[in-house]
Amino acid sequence: MTTIVVADDHKIVREGLVKLLEGRPDFTVIGEASDGEEAVQMVLDKQPDVVIMDIWMPRLSGIDATRRIGKRGSQAKILVLSMHESRTYVEEVLRAGASGYIVKNSASTDLLQAIDAVRGGASYLSPAITQQVVDAIARPGDSSPSGVAMLTDREREVLQLIAEGLSSKEIANMLGVSLKTVDSHRSNLMEKLDIHKVSGLVRFAIRAGLVEP
Amino acid sequence: MTTIVVADDHKIVREGLVKLLEGRPDFTVIGEASDGEEAVQMVLDKQPDVVIMDIWMPRLSGIDATRRIGKRGSQAKILVLSMHESRTYVEEVLRAGASGYIVKNSASTDLLQAIDAVRGGASYLSPAITQQVVDAIARPGDSSPSGVAMLTDREREVLQLIAEGLSSKEIANMLGVSLKTVDSHRSNLMEKLDIHKVSGLVRFAIRAGLVEP
DNA sequence: CCGGGAATGGGGGATTCGCCCGAATTGAGG
DNA sequence: CCTCAATTCGGGCGAATCCCCCATTCCCGG
């Protein structure tokens, strides 16, 4: 028996995934989350065997959620679901602690196969991206994917929320911290990225895969 | 004999195009422009038969430049060159008055063929995107390209420059108008699009194809 | 010929941003 | 144990943004 949590901001996608998973009697979906924060809470609460995590999510990206879950000591295996095949995402995701990366183009049988793989402690990467990962390993020198790696978890979160259009005050309320703290993070990440305008931050966040265009 | 103006912000691309065009003795490149403003001036000045126009350009996008050239009564046929194959761009471009749309992936023979076509008063669309245009025509109901159509030329320019990271003051200097005028345009376009944050404007401009991510 | 949209310009004010200065706490790692 | 990075929070200030109000000029279409 394998217990599963599904995290995706699109309800229809979630429902479709659940339907797919119901095809396997030994799979049980024990929870659904519609954003990163909710996913983290749910995983820590219900301790599933596997988490199917969308990479794009409001409030907290799938990458950050993955990072947090790992940091809190959960044993849940995380399988990241993405519509993109570019190398930068894959590296970020794996560095964040995910066990698998599967593109949304994959066949449903691939998804089931991927779940079995990560459940058993193995890794799973979609065929479409394995080659790119191999390429990345082949030349580890240029490991500056886009600059996101320079940022801390909190800074990445703040950057994402800025790019989503929230003001510092709104971000402060959402994260439950002071306006001044958000302002510090904003200053620090601007310094690190050497981008000093909102417009530049938004474009960077899009390129880095933190928000949708 | 066909006279041609080439407009592209990348020097190497321009030079490559010129080399390609030199293969045809009946083609003469009579000018090169590195941005939209320069392209408009040059076309009005030299009255070429055909303009090869990149869709991405600083100061003034290829779409806006096309729209202006048509408005000034020039008889030049405009062939838009783009690296993107998505439908929204094509619609915008054709609505702006271009005679052709060719993707940068095309073979050089296709480019020459396209020039001949527009020179003769015909239209040319890259094979890769014709199907998408047919689809768009098949269901004319959803003719809400993205909202850019609601904006005036000037507003689109200002939006592009905002998304490129310029402040209102810098935009005013670049366009040679008052800060207050830019501020007016900014307010008006935000009202029209119902987007009241810089981050939202940047994402919109990227989706609309005005700036690169 | 006249209305209206577009572009131009201006005053003023509330709010936010960007950056300067500072400091306390916490936790991971040498 | 001690250090350092991360995170938290504050005060203040100049600049920029955003949103009102307003006017003039020009040009296009009815």
Side-chain angles (χ1 to χ4, degrees), chain A residues 148-211:
Chain A
V148 246
M150 300 164 57
L151 303 179
T152 65
D153 288 4
R154 212 47 161 172
E155 287 165 351
R156 229 186 325 266
E157 276 186 75
V158 171
L159 172 59
Q160 182 183 6
L161 295 171
I162 290 172
E164 282 178 357
L166 303 186
S167 70
S168 294
K169 187 186 291 182
E170 290 169 326
I171 296 173
N173 290 335
M174 176 163 290
L175 297 181
V177 298
S178 156
L179 170 64
K180 279 305 193 177
T181 301
V182 176
D183 211 25
S184 283
H185 293 318
R186 185 192 281 256
S187 293
N188 291 336
L189 69 89
M190 282 178 155
E191 180 66 25
K192 285 184 181 177
L193 300 175
D194 195 28
I195 299 173
H196 301 271
K197 292 173 184 300
V198 178
S199 50
L201 291 180
V202 174
R203 295 211 306 278
F204 175 85
I206 291 171
R207 288 198 304 272
L210 295 176
V211 291

Short mmCIF file of all heavy atoms in Angstrom, two decimals, chain A residues 148-211:
data_model
loop_
_atom_site.label_atom_id
_atom_site.label_comp_id
_atom_site.label_asym_id
_atom_site.label_seq_id
_atom_site.Cartn_x
_atom_site.Cartn_y
_atom_site.Cartn_z
N VAL A 148 19.36 31.89 -9.06
CA VAL A 148 18.43 31.57 -7.97
C VAL A 148 19.13 30.85 -6.84
O VAL A 148 18.74 30.99 -5.68
CB VAL A 148 17.27 30.66 -8.44
CG1 VAL A 148 15.97 31.40 -8.35
CG2 VAL A 148 17.54 30.10 -9.79
N ALA A 149 20.16 30.09 -7.19
CA ALA A 149 20.86 29.30 -6.18
C ALA A 149 21.51 30.20 -5.14
O ALA A 149 21.72 29.79 -4.00
CB ALA A 149 21.91 28.43 -6.84
N MET A 150 21.81 31.43 -5.53
CA MET A 150 22.44 32.36 -4.59
C MET A 150 21.48 32.79 -3.48
O MET A 150 21.91 33.27 -2.44
CB MET A 150 22.90 33.62 -5.33
CG MET A 150 23.92 33.36 -6.44
SD MET A 150 24.03 34.78 -7.54
CE MET A 150 24.44 36.07 -6.35
N LEU A 151 20.20 32.64 -3.73
CA LEU A 151 19.21 33.15 -2.77
C LEU A 151 18.89 32.12 -1.69
O LEU A 151 18.96 30.92 -1.90
CB LEU A 151 17.93 33.51 -3.52
CG LEU A 151 18.07 34.53 -4.65
CD1 LEU A 151 16.72 34.78 -5.30
CD2 LEU A 151 18.66 35.82 -4.12
N THR A 152 18.52 32.62 -0.54
CA THR A 152 18.06 31.74 0.53
C THR A 152 16.59 31.41 0.28
O THR A 152 15.94 31.99 -0.57
CB THR A 152 18.18 32.43 1.89
OG1 THR A 152 17.29 33.54 1.93
CG2 THR A 152 19.59 32.92 2.13
N ASP A 153 16.07 30.46 1.06
CA ASP A 153 14.67 30.05 0.91
C ASP A 153 13.74 31.25 1.03
O ASP A 153 12.84 31.45 0.22
CB ASP A 153 14.30 29.02 1.98
CG ASP A 153 14.95 27.68 1.72
OD1 ASP A 153 15.73 27.60 0.76
OD2 ASP A 153 14.68 26.73 2.46
N ARG A 154 13.98 32.01 2.07
CA ARG A 154 13.09 33.13 2.36
C ARG A 154 13.15 34.16 1.24
O ARG A 154 12.14 34.72 0.82
CB ARG A 154 13.51 33.77 3.68
CG ARG A 154 12.41 34.37 4.51
CD ARG A 154 11.21 33.50 4.67
NE ARG A 154 10.39 33.91 5.80
CZ ARG A 154 9.21 33.40 6.07
NH1 ARG A 154 8.67 32.49 5.27
NH2 ARG A 154 8.53 33.81 7.12
N GLU A 155 14.34 34.42 0.77
CA GLU A 155 14.51 35.40 -0.31
C GLU A 155 13.80 34.93 -1.58
O GLU A 155 13.18 35.73 -2.28
CB GLU A 155 16.00 35.63 -0.58
CG GLU A 155 16.69 36.44 0.51
CD GLU A 155 18.20 36.37 0.43
OE1 GLU A 155 18.72 35.56 -0.35
OE2 GLU A 155 18.85 37.11 1.18
N ARG A 156 13.89 33.65 -1.84
CA ARG A 156 13.21 33.11 -3.03
C ARG A 156 11.70 33.27 -2.90
O ARG A 156 11.02 33.63 -3.86
CB ARG A 156 13.57 31.63 -3.20
CG ARG A 156 14.02 31.24 -4.62
CD ARG A 156 14.21 29.75 -4.74
NE ARG A 156 14.73 29.17 -3.52
CZ ARG A 156 16.02 28.95 -3.29
NH1 ARG A 156 16.92 29.27 -4.18
NH2 ARG A 156 16.41 28.42 -2.15
N GLU A 157 11.20 33.02 -1.71
CA GLU A 157 9.77 33.19 -1.48
C GLU A 157 9.35 34.63 -1.73
O GLU A 157 8.37 34.91 -2.41
CB GLU A 157 9.42 32.84 -0.03
CG GLU A 157 9.19 31.39 0.25
CD GLU A 157 8.71 31.21 1.69
OE1 GLU A 157 7.54 31.52 1.97
OE2 GLU A 157 9.53 30.79 2.51
N VAL A 158 10.10 35.55 -1.14
CA VAL A 158 9.77 36.96 -1.29
C VAL A 158 9.84 37.37 -2.76
O VAL A 158 8.95 38.07 -3.26
CB VAL A 158 10.73 37.83 -0.45
CG1 VAL A 158 10.55 39.30 -0.75
CG2 VAL A 158 10.52 37.57 1.03
N LEU A 159 10.86 36.89 -3.44
CA LEU A 159 10.98 37.20 -4.87
C LEU A 159 9.76 36.71 -5.64
O LEU A 159 9.21 37.43 -6.48
CB LEU A 159 12.26 36.56 -5.43
CG LEU A 159 12.42 36.62 -6.95
CD1 LEU A 159 12.43 38.06 -7.44
CD2 LEU A 159 13.71 35.92 -7.38
N GLN A 160 9.35 35.50 -5.33
CA GLN A 160 8.19 34.95 -6.04
C GLN A 160 6.95 35.81 -5.80
O GLN A 160 6.20 36.12 -6.74
CB GLN A 160 7.91 33.52 -5.56
CG GLN A 160 6.73 32.87 -6.28
CD GLN A 160 6.41 31.48 -5.76
OE1 GLN A 160 7.00 31.02 -4.78
NE2 GLN A 160 5.48 30.81 -6.41
N LEU A 161 6.75 36.22 -4.56
CA LEU A 161 5.56 37.00 -4.23
C LEU A 161 5.63 38.40 -4.85
O LEU A 161 4.61 38.94 -5.28
CB LEU A 161 5.39 37.07 -2.71
CG LEU A 161 5.12 35.71 -2.07
CD1 LEU A 161 5.18 35.79 -0.55
CD2 LEU A 161 3.76 35.18 -2.52
N ILE A 162 6.82 38.96 -4.91
CA ILE A 162 6.99 40.25 -5.58
C ILE A 162 6.58 40.11 -7.04
O ILE A 162 5.81 40.90 -7.58
CB ILE A 162 8.44 40.75 -5.50
CG1 ILE A 162 8.80 41.16 -4.07
CG2 ILE A 162 8.67 41.92 -6.45
CD1 ILE A 162 10.27 41.48 -3.87
N ALA A 163 7.08 39.04 -7.66
CA ALA A 163 6.80 38.83 -9.08
C ALA A 163 5.33 38.53 -9.31
O ALA A 163 4.81 38.80 -10.39
CB ALA A 163 7.65 37.68 -9.61
N GLU A 164 4.66 38.01 -8.30
CA GLU A 164 3.23 37.74 -8.43
C GLU A 164 2.41 39.01 -8.24
O GLU A 164 1.20 39.00 -8.37
CB GLU A 164 2.78 36.66 -7.44
CG GLU A 164 3.15 35.25 -7.90
CD GLU A 164 2.76 34.19 -6.89
OE1 GLU A 164 2.25 34.54 -5.81
OE2 GLU A 164 2.98 33.00 -7.18
N GLY A 165 3.07 40.09 -7.89
CA GLY A 165 2.38 41.37 -7.83
C GLY A 165 2.00 41.84 -6.44
O GLY A 165 1.27 42.82 -6.30
N LEU A 166 2.49 41.18 -5.42
CA LEU A 166 2.15 41.62 -4.07
C LEU A 166 3.06 42.76 -3.63
O LEU A 166 4.24 42.79 -3.98
CB LEU A 166 2.26 40.45 -3.09
CG LEU A 166 1.41 39.21 -3.42
CD1 LEU A 166 1.50 38.20 -2.28
CD2 LEU A 166 -0.04 39.61 -3.64
N SER A 167 2.53 43.66 -2.83
CA SER A 167 3.34 44.73 -2.25
C SER A 167 4.07 44.16 -1.05
O SER A 167 3.74 43.09 -0.55
CB SER A 167 2.46 45.90 -1.82
OG SER A 167 1.69 45.54 -0.71
N SER A 168 5.07 44.91 -0.58
CA SER A 168 5.83 44.45 0.58
C SER A 168 4.90 44.24 1.78
O SER A 168 5.05 43.28 2.54
CB SER A 168 6.90 45.48 0.93
OG SER A 168 7.86 45.55 -0.09
N LYS A 169 3.93 45.12 1.90
CA LYS A 169 3.01 45.01 3.03
C LYS A 169 2.20 43.72 2.94
O LYS A 169 2.03 43.01 3.93
CB LYS A 169 2.07 46.22 3.06
CG LYS A 169 1.19 46.28 4.29
CD LYS A 169 0.19 47.41 4.21
CE LYS A 169 0.86 48.78 4.30
NZ LYS A 169 -0.14 49.87 4.25
N GLU A 170 1.72 43.43 1.74
CA GLU A 170 0.93 42.22 1.55
C GLU A 170 1.77 40.97 1.81
O GLU A 170 1.31 39.99 2.40
CB GLU A 170 0.35 42.18 0.13
CG GLU A 170 -0.73 43.22 -0.10
CD GLU A 170 -1.09 43.34 -1.58
OE1 GLU A 170 -0.20 43.18 -2.44
OE2 GLU A 170 -2.26 43.60 -1.87
N ILE A 171 3.02 41.03 1.35
CA ILE A 171 3.92 39.90 1.58
C ILE A 171 4.15 39.71 3.07
O ILE A 171 4.14 38.58 3.58
CB ILE A 171 5.27 40.14 0.85
CG1 ILE A 171 5.03 40.18 -0.66
CG2 ILE A 171 6.27 39.05 1.20
CD1 ILE A 171 6.27 40.57 -1.46
N ALA A 172 4.33 40.82 3.77
CA ALA A 172 4.54 40.75 5.22
C ALA A 172 3.36 40.07 5.90
O ALA A 172 3.54 39.20 6.74
CB ALA A 172 4.76 42.16 5.78
N ASN A 173 2.15 40.46 5.51
CA ASN A 173 0.96 39.84 6.10
C ASN A 173 0.90 38.36 5.77
O ASN A 173 0.59 37.53 6.62
CB ASN A 173 -0.30 40.54 5.58
CG ASN A 173 -0.43 41.94 6.15
OD1 ASN A 173 0.09 42.23 7.23
ND2 ASN A 173 -1.11 42.82 5.42
N MET A 174 1.18 38.04 4.52
CA MET A 174 1.08 36.65 4.08
C MET A 174 2.09 35.76 4.80
O MET A 174 1.77 34.65 5.19
CB MET A 174 1.28 36.57 2.57
CG MET A 174 1.29 35.15 2.04
SD MET A 174 1.03 35.11 0.27
CE MET A 174 -0.68 35.61 0.16
N LEU A 175 3.30 36.26 4.99
CA LEU A 175 4.33 35.46 5.63
C LEU A 175 4.29 35.58 7.14
O LEU A 175 5.01 34.89 7.85
CB LEU A 175 5.72 35.88 5.12
CG LEU A 175 5.98 35.68 3.62
CD1 LEU A 175 7.39 36.11 3.27
CD2 LEU A 175 5.76 34.23 3.24
N GLY A 176 3.45 36.51 7.62
CA GLY A 176 3.34 36.68 9.06
C GLY A 176 4.55 37.31 9.70
O GLY A 176 4.88 37.04 10.84
N VAL A 177 5.24 38.18 8.96
CA VAL A 177 6.40 38.87 9.51
C VAL A 177 6.23 40.38 9.34
O VAL A 177 5.23 40.83 8.79
CB VAL A 177 7.70 38.42 8.82
CG1 VAL A 177 7.95 36.95 9.03
CG2 VAL A 177 7.67 38.75 7.35
N SER A 178 7.20 41.13 9.81
CA SER A 178 7.11 42.58 9.74
C SER A 178 7.42 43.10 8.34
O SER A 178 8.10 42.45 7.55
CB SER A 178 8.09 43.19 10.74
OG SER A 178 8.45 44.50 10.36
N LEU A 179 6.87 44.28 8.06
CA LEU A 179 7.15 44.93 6.79
C LEU A 179 8.65 45.15 6.60
O LEU A 179 9.18 44.99 5.51
CB LEU A 179 6.42 46.29 6.74
CG LEU A 179 6.77 47.22 5.60
CD1 LEU A 179 6.38 46.61 4.26
CD2 LEU A 179 6.08 48.56 5.76
N LYS A 180 9.31 45.48 7.68
CA LYS A 180 10.73 45.75 7.62
C LYS A 180 11.54 44.50 7.24
O LYS A 180 12.56 44.58 6.57
CB LYS A 180 11.22 46.28 8.96
CG LYS A 180 10.94 47.75 9.13
CD LYS A 180 11.54 48.52 7.96
CE LYS A 180 11.58 49.99 8.20
NZ LYS A 180 12.22 50.70 7.07
N THR A 181 11.06 43.37 7.69
CA THR A 181 11.74 42.12 7.37
C THR A 181 11.66 41.84 5.88
O THR A 181 12.65 41.50 5.22
CB THR A 181 11.10 40.97 8.15
OG1 THR A 181 11.22 41.26 9.53
CG2 THR A 181 11.80 39.66 7.85
N VAL A 182 10.45 42.00 5.36
CA VAL A 182 10.26 41.80 3.93
C VAL A 182 11.15 42.77 3.16
O VAL A 182 11.78 42.39 2.16
CB VAL A 182 8.79 41.98 3.53
CG1 VAL A 182 8.61 41.88 2.02
CG2 VAL A 182 7.92 40.97 4.24
N ASP A 183 11.22 43.97 3.67
CA ASP A 183 12.04 44.99 3.01
C ASP A 183 13.51 44.57 3.02
O ASP A 183 14.23 44.79 2.04
CB ASP A 183 11.84 46.31 3.76
CG ASP A 183 11.98 47.50 2.82
OD1 ASP A 183 11.75 47.33 1.61
OD2 ASP A 183 12.34 48.57 3.31
N SER A 184 13.95 43.98 4.12
CA SER A 184 15.33 43.51 4.19
C SER A 184 15.58 42.43 3.14
O SER A 184 16.55 42.48 2.40
CB SER A 184 15.61 42.91 5.56
OG SER A 184 15.80 43.93 6.50
N HIS A 185 14.68 41.46 3.10
CA HIS A 185 14.84 40.38 2.12
C HIS A 185 14.87 40.95 0.72
O HIS A 185 15.67 40.54 -0.12
CB HIS A 185 13.69 39.37 2.25
CG HIS A 185 13.72 38.61 3.53
ND1 HIS A 185 14.87 38.11 4.06
CD2 HIS A 185 12.73 38.27 4.39
CE1 HIS A 185 14.60 37.49 5.20
NE2 HIS A 185 13.30 37.58 5.43
N ARG A 186 13.97 41.88 0.46
CA ARG A 186 13.91 42.50 -0.86
C ARG A 186 15.25 43.16 -1.20
O ARG A 186 15.80 42.94 -2.28
CB ARG A 186 12.79 43.55 -0.86
CG ARG A 186 12.53 44.18 -2.20
CD ARG A 186 11.65 45.40 -2.09
NE ARG A 186 10.23 45.08 -1.95
CZ ARG A 186 9.36 45.21 -2.95
NH1 ARG A 186 9.76 45.65 -4.12
NH2 ARG A 186 8.11 44.92 -2.76
N SER A 187 15.78 43.92 -0.26
CA SER A 187 17.06 44.58 -0.49
C SER A 187 18.18 43.56 -0.72
O SER A 187 18.99 43.70 -1.63
CB SER A 187 17.43 45.46 0.71
OG SER A 187 16.53 46.54 0.81
N ASN A 188 18.18 42.54 0.12
CA ASN A 188 19.25 41.55 0.04
C ASN A 188 19.22 40.80 -1.29
O ASN A 188 20.27 40.60 -1.92
CB ASN A 188 19.15 40.55 1.19
CG ASN A 188 19.47 41.20 2.53
OD1 ASN A 188 20.19 42.21 2.57
ND2 ASN A 188 18.94 40.66 3.61
N LEU A 189 18.02 40.40 -1.71
CA LEU A 189 17.98 39.64 -2.96
C LEU A 189 18.28 40.53 -4.16
O LEU A 189 18.88 40.09 -5.14
CB LEU A 189 16.64 38.92 -3.11
CG LEU A 189 15.34 39.67 -3.34
CD1 LEU A 189 15.06 39.87 -4.83
CD2 LEU A 189 14.18 38.91 -2.72
N MET A 190 17.90 41.78 -4.06
CA MET A 190 18.25 42.71 -5.13
C MET A 190 19.76 42.87 -5.21
O MET A 190 20.33 42.93 -6.30
CB MET A 190 17.61 44.08 -4.87
CG MET A 190 16.14 44.15 -5.21
SD MET A 190 15.48 45.78 -4.82
CE MET A 190 14.12 45.87 -5.94
N GLU A 191 20.37 42.92 -4.06
CA GLU A 191 21.83 43.05 -4.01
C GLU A 191 22.49 41.81 -4.61
O GLU A 191 23.38 41.91 -5.46
CB GLU A 191 22.26 43.24 -2.54
CG GLU A 191 23.76 43.38 -2.34
CD GLU A 191 24.28 44.66 -2.96
OE1 GLU A 191 23.47 45.63 -3.09
OE2 GLU A 191 25.46 44.71 -3.32
N LYS A 192 22.01 40.63 -4.19
CA LYS A 192 22.61 39.38 -4.67
C LYS A 192 22.47 39.23 -6.18
O LYS A 192 23.39 38.77 -6.87
CB LYS A 192 21.96 38.18 -3.97
CG LYS A 192 22.40 37.98 -2.54
CD LYS A 192 21.77 36.72 -1.96
CE LYS A 192 22.19 36.51 -0.51
NZ LYS A 192 21.53 35.34 0.08
N LEU A 193 21.31 39.56 -6.68
CA LEU A 193 21.05 39.36 -8.11
C LEU A 193 21.55 40.53 -8.95
O LEU A 193 21.62 40.43 -10.17
CB LEU A 193 19.55 39.17 -8.35
CG LEU A 193 18.89 37.98 -7.64
CD1 LEU A 193 17.39 37.99 -7.88
CD2 LEU A 193 19.49 36.68 -8.14
N ASP A 194 21.86 41.61 -8.25
CA ASP A 194 22.24 42.85 -8.94
C ASP A 194 21.13 43.29 -9.90
O ASP A 194 21.38 43.69 -11.03
CB ASP A 194 23.57 42.69 -9.68
CG ASP A 194 24.17 44.03 -10.10
OD1 ASP A 194 23.90 45.02 -9.41
OD2 ASP A 194 24.88 44.07 -11.11
N ILE A 195 19.92 43.17 -9.43
CA ILE A 195 18.76 43.66 -10.18
C ILE A 195 18.03 44.63 -9.24
O ILE A 195 17.65 44.25 -8.14
CB ILE A 195 17.80 42.51 -10.57
CG1 ILE A 195 18.53 41.51 -11.45
CG2 ILE A 195 16.58 43.05 -11.30
CD1 ILE A 195 17.72 40.27 -11.75
N HIS A 196 17.89 45.86 -9.67
CA HIS A 196 17.40 46.88 -8.73
C HIS A 196 16.08 47.49 -9.15
O HIS A 196 15.76 48.60 -8.73
CB HIS A 196 18.48 47.95 -8.54
CG HIS A 196 19.78 47.40 -8.03
ND1 HIS A 196 20.08 47.28 -6.69
CD2 HIS A 196 20.84 46.87 -8.69
CE1 HIS A 196 21.27 46.74 -6.55
NE2 HIS A 196 21.76 46.47 -7.75
N LYS A 197 15.34 46.78 -9.99
CA LYS A 197 14.03 47.28 -10.38
C LYS A 197 13.02 46.14 -10.35
O LYS A 197 13.35 45.00 -10.63
CB LYS A 197 14.07 47.86 -11.79
CG LYS A 197 14.89 49.14 -11.88
CD LYS A 197 15.04 49.58 -13.33
CE LYS A 197 15.92 50.80 -13.45
NZ LYS A 197 15.42 51.97 -12.71
N VAL A 198 11.79 46.49 -10.03
CA VAL A 198 10.73 45.48 -9.97
C VAL A 198 10.61 44.76 -11.30
O VAL A 198 10.50 43.53 -11.34
CB VAL A 198 9.38 46.13 -9.60
CG1 VAL A 198 8.28 45.08 -9.59
CG2 VAL A 198 9.48 46.79 -8.25
N SER A 199 10.64 45.50 -12.37
CA SER A 199 10.47 44.88 -13.69
C SER A 199 11.55 43.83 -13.94
O SER A 199 11.26 42.76 -14.45
CB SER A 199 10.53 45.95 -14.77
OG SER A 199 11.67 46.76 -14.59
N GLY A 200 12.77 44.15 -13.56
CA GLY A 200 13.85 43.20 -13.74
C GLY A 200 13.65 41.96 -12.88
O GLY A 200 13.89 40.84 -13.32
N LEU A 201 13.17 42.16 -11.67
CA LEU A 201 12.93 41.03 -10.78
C LEU A 201 11.86 40.11 -11.36
O LEU A 201 11.98 38.89 -11.29
CB LEU A 201 12.48 41.53 -9.40
CG LEU A 201 13.52 42.23 -8.55
CD1 LEU A 201 12.93 42.67 -7.23
CD2 LEU A 201 14.73 41.33 -8.32
N VAL A 202 10.82 40.70 -11.92
CA VAL A 202 9.74 39.90 -12.48
C VAL A 202 10.27 39.05 -13.63
O VAL A 202 10.02 37.84 -13.70
CB VAL A 202 8.59 40.80 -12.97
CG1 VAL A 202 7.53 39.96 -13.68
CG2 VAL A 202 7.97 41.55 -11.81
N ARG A 203 11.03 39.68 -14.52
CA ARG A 203 11.55 38.93 -15.66
C ARG A 203 12.50 37.83 -15.18
O ARG A 203 12.48 36.71 -15.68
CB ARG A 203 12.27 39.86 -16.64
CG ARG A 203 11.33 40.86 -17.29
CD ARG A 203 11.77 41.23 -18.70
NE ARG A 203 13.14 41.70 -18.77
CZ ARG A 203 13.51 42.93 -18.49
NH1 ARG A 203 12.61 43.83 -18.13
NH2 ARG A 203 14.76 43.26 -18.57
N PHE A 204 13.30 38.15 -14.17
CA PHE A 204 14.21 37.14 -13.63
C PHE A 204 13.43 35.97 -13.05
O PHE A 204 13.76 34.81 -13.28
CB PHE A 204 15.12 37.76 -12.56
CG PHE A 204 16.00 36.75 -11.89
CD1 PHE A 204 17.21 36.38 -12.46
CD2 PHE A 204 15.60 36.15 -10.70
CE1 PHE A 204 18.01 35.43 -11.85
CE2 PHE A 204 16.40 35.20 -10.09
CZ PHE A 204 17.60 34.85 -10.66
N ALA A 205 12.40 36.29 -12.28
CA ALA A 205 11.60 35.25 -11.63
C ALA A 205 10.95 34.35 -12.67
O ALA A 205 10.84 33.14 -12.46
CB ALA A 205 10.53 35.88 -10.73
N ILE A 206 10.55 34.92 -13.77
CA ILE A 206 9.94 34.13 -14.84
C ILE A 206 10.98 33.21 -15.46
O ILE A 206 10.75 32.02 -15.65
CB ILE A 206 9.32 35.05 -15.91
CG1 ILE A 206 8.09 35.75 -15.33
CG2 ILE A 206 8.94 34.26 -17.16
CD1 ILE A 206 7.54 36.83 -16.21
N ARG A 207 12.15 33.78 -15.76
CA ARG A 207 13.22 32.97 -16.35
C ARG A 207 13.62 31.86 -15.39
O ARG A 207 13.95 30.75 -15.81
CB ARG A 207 14.44 33.84 -16.67
CG ARG A 207 14.25 34.77 -17.85
CD ARG A 207 15.61 35.24 -18.37
NE ARG A 207 16.43 35.86 -17.32
CZ ARG A 207 16.40 37.13 -17.01
NH1 ARG A 207 15.60 37.96 -17.65
NH2 ARG A 207 17.18 37.60 -16.06
N ALA A 208 13.61 32.15 -14.10
CA ALA A 208 14.07 31.19 -13.12
C ALA A 208 13.00 30.14 -12.81
O ALA A 208 13.27 29.19 -12.10
CB ALA A 208 14.47 31.90 -11.83
N GLY A 209 11.80 30.35 -13.35
CA GLY A 209 10.75 29.36 -13.15
C GLY A 209 10.01 29.51 -11.83
O GLY A 209 9.40 28.57 -11.37
N LEU A 210 10.07 30.67 -11.22
CA LEU A 210 9.36 30.87 -9.95
C LEU A 210 7.91 31.26 -10.16
O LEU A 210 7.05 30.98 -9.34
CB LEU A 210 10.07 31.94 -9.11
CG LEU A 210 11.47 31.59 -8.63
CD1 LEU A 210 12.09 32.75 -7.89
CD2 LEU A 210 11.41 30.38 -7.71
N VAL A 211 7.64 31.93 -11.25
CA VAL A 211 6.26 32.34 -11.55
C VAL A 211 5.97 32.15 -13.03
O VAL A 211 6.88 32.05 -13.85
CB VAL A 211 6.00 33.83 -11.20
CG1 VAL A 211 6.03 34.05 -9.72
CG2 VAL A 211 7.00 34.71 -11.90
#
